[in-house]
């Protein structure tokens, strides 16, 4: 199984995960794979990773913010893909998440 297939499998698992702990564990595995081990996967799967911007869990939105930060660090070409999900997050009521959102472009 390729790392790309593994990432897709993890993304599907996290969408189906019911409890907070398993979601956080899966987000950690996804982050390790696509941000640390194989950053090239970020470019190919950025859209799928940013789908978690509307996740009901705080961990999903935090994950999305970390993905946005890393995408912009990797390449300015990712900025257009990040803007719309970032604007969606500005309605966030959690102050700590708002601080992270503002920090994406700084």
């Amino acid at each position: 199984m390729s790392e790309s297939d593994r990432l897709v499998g993890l993304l599907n698992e996290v969408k189906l995960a019911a409890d907070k702990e398993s979601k956080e564990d899966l987000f950690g595995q996804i982050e390790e794979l696509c941000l640390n081990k194989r950053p090239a996967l970020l470019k190919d799967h950025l859209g799928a990773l940013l789908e978690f911007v509307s996740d009901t869990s705080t961990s999903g939105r935090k994950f999305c913010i970390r993905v946005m930060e890393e995408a912009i660090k990797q390449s300015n070409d990712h900025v257009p893909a990040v803007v719309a999900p970032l604007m969606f997050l500005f309605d966030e009521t959690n102050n700590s998440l708002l601080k992270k959102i503002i920090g994406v472009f700084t």
Side-chain angles (χ1 to χ4, degrees), residues 15-33:
K15 287 178 183 178
L16 299 174
D19 61 295
K20 179 182 175 182
E21 291 80 22
S22 62
K23 272 190 166 192
E24 288 177 355
D25 178 55
L26 290 165
F27 281 130
Q29 290 180 47
I30 293 168
E31 189 172 340
E32 178 65 26
L33 181 62

Side-chain angles (χ1 to χ4, degrees), residues 55-78:
D55 196 84
T56 56
S57 70
T58 303
S59 61
R61 294 188 307 272
K62 282 182 182 177
F63 167 76
C64 239
I65 293 167
R66 288 190 300 273
V67 167
M68 288 181 210
E69 288 173 331
E70 190 60 35
I72 291 171
K73 284 179 189 174
Q74 275 190 11
S75 172
N76 287 336
D77 294 338
H78 296 300

Side-chain angles (χ1 to χ4, degrees), residues 5-18:
D5 292 339
R6 181 167 177 252
L7 177 61
V8 170
L10 288 170
L11 289 169
N12 289 332
E13 282 183 52
V14 78
K15 287 178 183 178
L16 299 174

